[in-house]
Amino acid sequence: MSVPLRPPALLTAPLLVLALLLTGCASSGSTAPVGAPGQGAAGPESDAASVLRSSPSAEEETPSPAEIPGLGPSTRAEIPEDARQAFVVTGQDEEANRSSAVLYSREDPAEGWVAVAGPWDAHNGMEGWTDHHVAGDLRSPKGVYSLTDAGGRLPDPGALLPYDEHPRFAVDGEGFYGEPLEGSFDYVVAINYNRTEGVTPLDRTRPLGLERGGGIWIHVDHGGPTQGCVSIPEERMEELLRTLDPELNPVIVMGDAGTLGR
């Protein structure tokens, strides 16, 4: 009597089960898992999730202190660290005698410069601007200069700078366009170009020599270009005198736009 043979499937089934137990679900055709090799998807306790969780979000950058618009690094470097007020007079170009003036303050250095007055229309030297002012060239000297002394023909309007009221500030005659000069020096602020600080603007001491000119002031505008000074309307001069504070070490930054932008 013959013994019936077992179906082949029954012989191979235990081997198939054993193979599945040994290899698991990661067959060669399976999709690669998300996260690190050999790990499952990034769940709450996975290494990948902890990396994502511990990565700091982008911190908001602290804004830099505001700079004065139009001034390049070379010009900004000339402004003293202790200056907290800057009267910026910008000429249209090197040959122009019309300009614009803005007063800036940085009472809080962490915030930087803030415009507090202006822009105001202004005039400068008839022939524009120069890096090397000499007497009679009819150009305004470029640069950064301190402002320490004021004065005028009229009584003190409330100036914070030392103010010298004197009749010698009276002037007459005509400007380059025939406009009357009377009243131009009713209020002035001395620009410390080739002068001694701490004295009346009328002082004629010239440390660089007489040939380098002097008597460069901010004064009342007479409706035309100057011989080298900066001029602004009378009501603006009064405002400026009441605002420039010696405790804030004010300066004037003056020149054509191209030069100031360097």
Side-chain angles (χ1 to χ4, degrees):
M1 178 175 168
S2 61
V3 179
L5 298 174
R6 294 183 181 180
L10 296 178
L11 292 171
T12 58
L15 297 175
L16 178 60
V17 172
L18 181 60
L20 290 173
L21 291 173
L22 292 174
T23 60
C25 297
S27 64
S28 60
S30 64
T31 303
V34 179
Q39 296 179 345
E45 301 304 322
S46 69
D47 289 343
S50 64
V51 170
L52 293 173
R53 186 172 59 248
S54 62
S55 297
S57 58
E59 295 183 3
E60 207 174 294
E61 292 186 5
T62 303
S64 299
E67 298 289 358
I68 297 175
L71 302 189
S74 295
T75 302
R76 293 198 302 266
E78 293 182 44
I79 301 176
E81 285 293 327
D82 62 355
R84 296 291 180 263
Q85 289 180 320
F87 189 54
V88 181
V89 181
T90 308
Q92 297 172 354
D93 58 60
E94 197 169 37
E95 306 301 320
N97 51 46
R98 297 190 66 88
S99 45
S100 178
V102 180
L103 179 62
Y104 291 88
S105 174
R106 61 171 175 184
E107 294 187 39
D108 182 354
E111 294 185 4
W113 292 101
V114 178
V116 295
W120 300 333
D121 290 335
H123 280 99
N124 51 276
M126 177 66 179
E127 300 298 329
W129 302 90
T130 180
D131 286 314
H132 187 81
H133 176 70
V134 294
D137 67 2
L138 302 182
R139 293 180 177 270
S140 297
K142 304 176 187 178
V144 178
Y145 306 99
S146 58
L147 303 172
T148 56
D149 306 286
R153 183 183 67 86
L154 295 181
D156 184 349
L160 300 178
L161 297 175
Y163 187 90
D164 177 31
E165 179 189 350
H166 202 287
R168 285 176 54 199
F169 285 104
V171 64
D172 56 16
E174 294 183 343
F176 293 103
Y177 299 151
E179 74 278 11
L181 297 179
E182 185 177 359
S184 298
F185 304 152
D186 282 356
Y187 301 117
V188 311
V189 175
I191 297 171
N192 288 340
Y193 165 81
N194 197 20
R195 72 177 298 269
T196 303
E197 297 183 14
V199 297
T200 173
L202 294 169
D203 184 82
R204 297 187 62 82
T205 303
R206 301 289 180 256
L208 300 177
L210 294 177
E211 69 279 2
R212 294 297 304 277
I216 306 296
W217 297 342
I218 308 169
H219 64 68
V220 175
D221 189 73
H222 47 74
T226 71
Q227 295 192 30
C229 296
V230 169
S231 62
I232 57 177
E234 182 170 3
E235 64 272 19
R236 303 308 187 192
M237 274 300 305
E238 292 183 63
E239 182 177 350
L240 188 67
L241 284 166
R242 290 192 291 263
T243 306
L244 292 178
D245 186 345
E247 296 295 321
L248 300 178
N249 300 305
V251 298
I252 185 170
V253 183
M254 52 193 285
D256 61 281
T259 299
L260 296 184
R262 296 175 184 167

